[in-house]
């Protein structure tokens, strides 16, 4: 799906040319009419970099009247442009190198009001050309925009750091002059006063000198310019008059301590109001000056205007915390709010989350294109945010087509469920996007719980799991987090994670259950049934781990392990039968999973096991479920036929519980059907059997015999069941009536009763 940070915009002048990194991109030559004089700057704009440097110089000249001449400024900015272009196109990308470029701007004294903001504005104007340059170099425009943003941040940081260093140097110089003025003797008073006045009047920092009572005695011109008032209007006012009600508490306390002589100085970032009402953001340093006896004498305030830097920081922070496509809060801002909620929670506070994912959104991108997908995302975000914002909740785009709603101080599960239902209702009305009426559905995972006893990460994980439940249950719905269900999922995942090591350490064991002839009660075969002897949980049945093994692919090595164990035991069982006949020895029946059928090395592995164990192929049987055998085609079916050609028996397990194509069944290399125990259940009572089950079993037996297959009934637990199945014509039976699954020695004992053949 599409979630780009920029849309294709109309081509700006020169947008078809390469960006700053393409030396071959030329600016069209200016047309000179009769009587016109070619601009002297024309030679400086021959390349894209020259053009950018030229525009940059023009931009800076309008904001700065530094010591550099125009030609020197352009040369300086041409060099900085070259460095920025190299930085953007160099891999690996090192945005921190842009700090040096920002510092170089300060070193060149290009620090006028608005210089930084106008420089970044110029970069924004050049974005269409930079984007075209990125596409020309086969770069992701989103990645290139991220590079530009990071370069801007590093550039601003270097600029601010260098400006701060210069400011601190000036501050130290001013402070030293104040101290020198106090300590100099009368003979040097005139010289000291003149020197102090020069620094005081010419400094770019705003400086105010006040008495110990906080009444302003003198200010320099820079301070008056910052506040937008004549410097003469400020003396006589108190420093406290400039404090604002929403100033941080610590600024008030620090100033009170300084006024009483308990603090020598303090620094803080503080907001003021200019005379025209605009905010003035400053870095404020207030110092206490003492007389020769050490008593407080003056307060000196030095004020640096950092409004541009603050605006830049605010803009960059907004970009970092908002999604560029929809303008909504993004994942970073959401987690910041969620963590603050847990950090500031009081007893009894509750939190609610609605984790929303659009169903089938990928189809829109694939069929109608990413542009339509982007516009649909924007429309969905606006509609949902309008619905959620009315209730005062935060909604954020988490990425792709996923959104999250944070319900702070939730009133209970009902409130969050009502919100989720409202969201689903808001999506029912189709969206009109570029001539298409698009209907969108969503799945929502709901978590509502007390804040105490949990954390942001746990709550997010619960929401993620619940969203997965909602999508797996049919989509277009909401599902509430269930602790018990989650515990079962965690336990299931834990077993899945432990299985590889358990197989390696031999924790899996094999039990055996006989398949008995209903005609003479002789043992015809034995089914191998795997068990997990867990070191902490004890004996675990296959119903708890076979599905996990199939999901993870561990069923293939586990199946081979069971096959090897079973074939070795089957070979050993032949010994008690040698006195009678080899034909009387039972076959071993092993379950074969679907993933094993898709294993291209299946036949080779089976041949190896038979060779190593000495077991005849005719005494090995593989069992597949009805749904598995019906799904075999291509490679899996060919592998089953190869096994059958070797002499290996193929049986269909749980027959009757799935859907069988009888025409297809005739072509399969199958020799036996095993009727599911659910049909045998109705035959267990000593009285009248269930007529429906009896007819079904009789039909299945007749069908199997018509196809030339033998029939084994599973789940026989009573003599009545065995007798009825014998009367129906069933060939063999399996179940607790004959023997429960057990160790291989139990089979050895049963084999002593095999009648002699022939």
């Amino acid at each position: 799906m599409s979630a780009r940070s920029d849309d294709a915009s109309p081509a700006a002048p020169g947008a078809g040319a390469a960006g700053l990194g393409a030396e071959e991109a030329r600016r069209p030559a200016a047309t000179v009419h009769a009587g016109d004089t070619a601009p002297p700057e024309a030679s400086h704009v021959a390349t894209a970099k020259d053009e950018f440097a030229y525009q940059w110089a023009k931009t800076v000249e309008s904001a700065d009247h530094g010591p550099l001449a125009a030609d020197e400024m352009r040369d300086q900015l041409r060099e900085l442009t070259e460095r920025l272009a190299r930085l953007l196109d160099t891999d690996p990308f090192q945005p921190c190198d842009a700090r040096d470029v920002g510092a170089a701007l300060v070193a060149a004294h290009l620090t006028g009001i608005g210089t930084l903001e106008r420089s970044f504005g110029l970069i924004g104007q050049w974005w269409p050309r930079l984007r075209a340059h990125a596409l020309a170099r086969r770069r992701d425009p989103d990645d290139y925009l991220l590079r530009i943003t990071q370069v801007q941040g590093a550039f601003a940081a270097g600029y601010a750091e260098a400006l701060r260093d210069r400011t601190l140097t000036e501050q130290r110089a001013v402070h030293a002059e104040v101290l020198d003025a106090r300590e100099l003797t009368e003979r040097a008073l005139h010289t000291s006063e003149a020197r102090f006045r020069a620094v005081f009047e010419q400094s770019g920092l705003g400086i105010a000198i006040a008495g110990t009572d906080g009444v302003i005695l003198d200010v320099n011109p820079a301070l008056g310019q910052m506040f937008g008032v004549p410097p003469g209007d400020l003396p006589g006012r108190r420093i406290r008059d400039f404090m604002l009600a929403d100033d941080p508490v610590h600024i008030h306390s620090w100033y009170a301590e300084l006024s009483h002589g308990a603090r020598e100085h303090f620094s803080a970032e503080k907001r003021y109001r200019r005379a025209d009402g605009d905010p003035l953001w400053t870095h404020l340093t207030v110092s206490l000056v003492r007389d020769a006896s050490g008593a407080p004498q003056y307060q000196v305030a030095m004020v640096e205007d950092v409004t541009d830097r603050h605006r830049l920081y605010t803009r960059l922070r907004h970009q970092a915390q908002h999604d560029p496509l929809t303008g909504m809060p993004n994942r970073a801002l959401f987690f910041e709010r969620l963590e603050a909620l847990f950090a500031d929670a009081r007893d009894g506070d509750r939190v609610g989350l609605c984790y929303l994912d659009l169903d089938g959104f990928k189809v829109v991108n694939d069929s109608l294109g990413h542009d339509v997908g982007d516009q649909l995302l924007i429309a969905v975000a606006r509609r949902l945010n309008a619905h959620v914002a009315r209730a005062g909740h935060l909604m954020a785009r988490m990425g792709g087509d996923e959104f999250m709603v944070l319900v702070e101080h939730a009133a209970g599960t009902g409130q969050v469920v009502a919100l989720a239902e409202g969201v689903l209702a808001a999506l029912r009305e189709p969206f009109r996007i570029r001539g298409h009426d698009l209907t969108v559905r969503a799945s929502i995972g709901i978590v509502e719980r007390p804040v105490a006893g949990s954390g942001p990460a746990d709550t997010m994980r619960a929401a993620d799991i619940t969203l997965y439940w909602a999508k797996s249950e049919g989509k277009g719905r909401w599902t509430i987090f269930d602790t018990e269900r989650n515990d079962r999922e965690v336990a299931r995942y834990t077993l899945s994670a432990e299985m590889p090591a358990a197989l390696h350490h031999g924790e899996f064991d094999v039990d055996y259950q006989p398949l008995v002839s209903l005609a003479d009660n002789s043992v015809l075969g034995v089914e191998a049934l795997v068990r997990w002897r867990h070191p902490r949980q004890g004996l675990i049945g296959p119903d708890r781990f076979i599905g996990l093994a199939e999901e993870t692919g561990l069923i293939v090595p586990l199946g081979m392990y069971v096959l090897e164990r079973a074939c070795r035991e089957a070979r050993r069982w032949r010994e008690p039968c040698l006195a009678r006949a080899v034909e009387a020895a039972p076959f071993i029946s092993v379950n074969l999973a679907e993933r094993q059928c898709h294993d291209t090395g299946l036949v080779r592995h089976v041949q190896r096991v038979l060779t190593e164990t000495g077991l005849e192929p005719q005494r090995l049987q593989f069992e597949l479920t009805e749904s598995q055998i019906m799904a075999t085609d291509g490679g899996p079916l060919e592998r089953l036929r190869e096994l059958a050609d070797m002499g290996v028996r193929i049986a269909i397990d749980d027959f009757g519980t799935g859907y069988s194509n009888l025409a297809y069944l005739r072509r399969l290399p199958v020799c036996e059907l095993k009727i599911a125990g659910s049909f045998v259940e109705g035959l267990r009572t000593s009285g009248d059997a269930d007529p429906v089950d009896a007819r079904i079993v009789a039909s299945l037996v007749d069908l199997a015999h018509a196809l030339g297959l033998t029939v084994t009934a599973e789940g026989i637990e009573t003599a009545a069941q065995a007798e009825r199945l014998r009367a129906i014509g069933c060939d063999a039976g399996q179940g607790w009536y004959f023997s429960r699954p057990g160790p291989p020695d139990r089979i050895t004992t049963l084999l002593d009763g095999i009648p002699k053949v022939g």
Side-chain angles (χ1 to χ4, degrees):
M1 56 137 283
S2 174
R4 298 195 303 271
S5 60
D6 56 84
D7 293 323
S9 58
L20 294 181
E23 287 294 335
E24 72 277 11
R26 301 292 177 177
R27 185 187 186 193
T31 303
V32 181
H33 298 282
D36 293 343
T37 302
E41 296 85 2
S43 61
H44 294 279
V45 293
T47 67
K49 294 173 187 175
D50 290 333
E51 182 179 352
F52 182 88
Y54 171 79
Q55 293 181 7
W56 195 2
K58 283 294 187 183
T59 299
V60 171
E61 283 177 4
S62 63
D64 198 306
H65 300 285
L68 295 179
D71 289 341
E72 293 176 323
M73 182 186 300
R74 281 194 293 271
D75 291 341
Q76 182 82 12
L77 295 180
R78 178 62 171 80
E79 179 184 352
L80 298 183
T81 300
E82 180 71 27
R83 291 168 65 180
L84 288 174
R86 227 175 12 249
L87 175 61
L88 282 173
D89 289 332
T90 300
D91 291 308
F93 180 50
Q94 299 290 341
C96 59
D97 292 345
R99 297 172 67 96
D100 297 338
V101 178
L105 207 64
V106 176
H109 300 284
L110 301 177
T111 57
I113 298 175
T115 295
L116 189 62
E117 184 175 3
R118 295 183 185 185
S119 296
F120 283 1
L122 178 61
I123 294 176
Q125 296 172 17
W126 270 65
W127 166 238
R129 297 184 65 172
L130 292 171
R131 185 178 187 277
H133 171 62
L135 293 172
R137 295 179 65 91
R138 300 182 183 274
R139 289 186 178 276
D140 184 358
D142 287 348
D143 179 67
Y144 208 70
L145 177 59
L146 179 59
R147 285 193 173 202
I148 293 172
T149 303
Q150 291 175 330
V151 165
Q152 285 181 311
F155 180 94
Y159 180 92
E161 184 177 354
L163 190 60
R164 173 62 59 81
D165 290 343
R166 191 179 78 177
T167 299
L168 290 177
T169 300
E170 291 182 356
Q171 289 177 343
R172 284 193 290 268
V174 171
H175 194 226
E177 291 298 336
V178 172
L179 294 176
D180 288 346
R182 184 191 66 186
E183 296 174 357
L184 289 179
T185 62
E186 262 187 35
R187 289 178 313 206
L189 183 58
H190 179 72
T191 303
S192 174
E193 178 66 20
R195 189 162 41 211
F196 169 73
R197 271 294 149 191
V199 174
F200 185 77
E201 296 291 339
Q202 298 174 17
S203 174
L205 294 174
I207 304 173
I209 302 175
T212 55
D213 56 359
V215 176
I216 298 174
L217 304 176
D218 197 4
V219 300
N220 69 346
L223 187 65
Q225 183 179 4
M226 287 182 191
F227 281 89
V229 297
D233 291 354
L234 295 177
R237 299 181 64 180
R238 302 177 65 86
I239 289 181
R240 282 194 178 275
D241 296 342
F242 294 89
M243 298 286 187
L244 300 179
D246 59 352
D247 281 341
V249 175
H250 61 265
I251 292 182
H252 291 274
S253 61
W254 287 348
Y255 182 70
E257 292 172 5
L258 184 137
S259 298
H260 292 90
R263 177 181 287 270
E264 295 299 316
H265 61 83
F266 70 85
S267 296
E269 187 164 291
K270 181 180 175 347
R271 180 174 62 88
Y272 290 102
R273 285 287 180 188
R274 289 172 47 87
D276 56 10
D278 288 342
L280 171 65
W281 284 95
T282 69
H283 181 77
L284 171 68
T285 300
V286 182
S287 302
L288 183 65
V289 179
R290 298 180 183 271
D291 60 17
S293 64
Q297 187 175 18
Y298 298 109
Q299 298 174 9
V300 178
M302 286 173 282
V303 183
E304 175 193 0
D305 185 352
V306 296
T307 302
D308 281 353
R309 189 172 69 203
H310 182 82
R311 287 174 180 166
L312 175 62
Y313 170 78
T314 302
R315 186 171 66 185
L316 292 177
R317 179 175 172 81
H318 184 274
Q319 291 175 355
Q321 293 185 330
H322 288 77
D323 175 49
L325 178 66
T326 63
M328 296 180 66
N330 63 7
R331 190 182 191 90
L333 179 55
F334 177 84
F335 276 110
E336 182 179 300
R337 287 278 296 274
L338 183 64
E339 289 169 358
L341 172 64
F342 276 86
D344 301 335
R346 296 171 295 181
D347 291 342
D349 278 357
R350 301 181 69 87
V351 61
L353 295 182
C354 288
Y355 200 172
L356 179 148
D357 180 82
L358 301 183
D359 297 330
F361 182 76
K362 184 177 183 297
V363 176
V364 177
N365 279 336
D366 293 344
S367 59
L368 301 179
H370 288 276
D371 288 343
V372 173
D374 284 352
Q375 294 304 312
L376 178 59
L377 276 177
I378 294 171
V380 168
R382 287 175 179 169
R383 185 182 295 180
L384 294 184
N385 196 42
H387 174 77
V388 171
R390 285 197 297 268
H393 307 310
L394 172 71
M395 184 169 188
R397 183 186 179 204
M398 305 300 284
D401 58 352
E402 295 182 354
F403 300 86
M404 183 75 82
V405 181
L406 173 62
V407 181
E408 302 184 52
H409 311 295
T413 303
Q415 177 193 12
V416 187
V417 168
L419 176 64
E421 290 179 340
V423 167
L424 294 179
L427 291 176
R428 291 194 185 106
E429 183 181 348
F431 294 87
R432 184 70 176 176
I433 306 294
R434 296 188 179 177
H436 303 280
D437 288 325
L438 304 178
T439 301
V440 178
R441 297 196 312 164
S443 300
I444 302 177
I446 297 175
V447 178
E448 197 281 331
R449 57 171 53 168
V451 175
S454 184
D458 291 340
T459 305
M460 278 298 302
R461 188 185 68 83
D464 196 15
I465 291 172
T466 312
L467 174 60
Y468 171 79
W469 293 345
K471 295 187 80 68
S472 65
E473 291 169 359
K475 304 180 180 179
R477 65 181 64 204
W478 53 263
T479 300
I480 300 177
F481 180 73
D482 182 351
T483 302
E484 293 182 0
R485 179 177 179 180
N486 179 63
D487 291 342
R488 292 194 298 270
E489 294 279 350
V490 171
R492 192 168 181 269
Y493 171 79
T494 302
L495 280 182
S496 177
E498 292 176 346
M499 285 182 67
L503 181 60
H504 178 73
H505 295 139
E507 294 177 11
F508 290 96
D509 204 355
V510 182
D511 283 348
Y512 301 90
Q513 188 175 34
L515 283 69
V516 179
S517 169
L518 293 180
D520 59 9
N521 288 333
S522 62
V523 178
L524 301 177
V526 178
E527 182 175 0
L529 302 167
V530 64
R531 305 287 189 262
W532 184 356
R533 302 193 182 279
H534 197 281
R536 295 183 304 278
Q537 301 186 34
L539 187 64
I540 299 177
D543 56 313
R544 289 184 57 192
F545 65 83
I546 288 296
L548 296 176
E550 291 177 344
E551 291 175 8
T552 61
L554 192 68
I555 193 67
V556 175
L558 178 60
M560 293 310 302
Y561 169 80
V562 173
L563 177 64
E564 292 178 7
R565 287 278 302 270
C567 287
R568 293 189 189 281
E569 293 296 340
R571 177 65 177 81
R572 188 170 64 84
W573 292 329
R574 193 178 67 174
E575 303 302 326
C577 304
L578 287 177
R580 296 168 174 82
V582 174
E583 288 78 9
F587 60 83
I588 184 70
S589 189
V590 180
N591 289 284
L592 192 66
E594 183 176 356
R595 280 213 181 197
Q596 291 178 273
C597 294
H598 288 271
D599 181 11
T600 56
L602 174 63
V603 177
R604 184 175 66 256
H605 292 320
V606 172
Q607 289 173 329
R608 176 185 60 79
V609 171
L610 292 176
T611 301
E612 292 178 355
T613 60
L615 185 70
E616 302 87 347
Q618 294 78 9
R619 292 184 54 213
L620 173 62
Q621 174 173 283
F622 282 122
E623 295 185 15
L624 294 86
T625 64
E626 186 177 7
S627 58
Q628 284 180 248
I629 201 79
M630 288 298 113
T632 55
D633 198 3
L637 179 58
E638 290 303 316
R639 283 184 274 279
L640 292 181
R641 284 180 173 150
E642 287 185 53
L643 291 172
D645 291 341
M646 290 168 49
V648 176
R649 299 165 54 91
I650 306 296
I652 299 180
D653 194 15
D654 290 333
F655 188 77
T657 59
Y659 173 78
S660 294
N661 183 319
L662 297 182
Y664 184 60
L665 186 61
R666 291 182 59 189
R667 298 196 299 270
L668 295 175
V670 176
C671 63
E672 179 171 340
L673 297 184
K674 298 185 73 175
I675 299 176
S678 58
F679 296 111
V680 180
E681 176 69 22
L683 309 179
R684 67 180 298 170
T685 59
S686 57
D688 293 336
D690 186 319
V692 175
D693 283 345
R695 283 197 297 270
I696 291 175
V697 172
S699 299
L700 293 177
V701 171
D702 291 342
L703 172 64
H705 288 167
L707 294 173
L709 309 177
T710 59
V711 182
T712 297
E714 298 179 304
I716 299 177
E717 298 182 359
T718 67
Q721 286 174 308
E723 182 58 36
R724 287 193 176 93
L725 289 166
R726 183 183 298 111
I728 288 173
C730 189
D731 302 297
Q734 178 182 357
W736 285 10
Y737 171 67
F738 302 107
S739 176
R740 295 194 178 198
D745 291 342
R746 184 180 297 175
I747 301 300
T748 303
T749 302
L750 290 174
L751 291 179
D752 290 337
I754 295 179
K756 182 178 287 189
V757 177

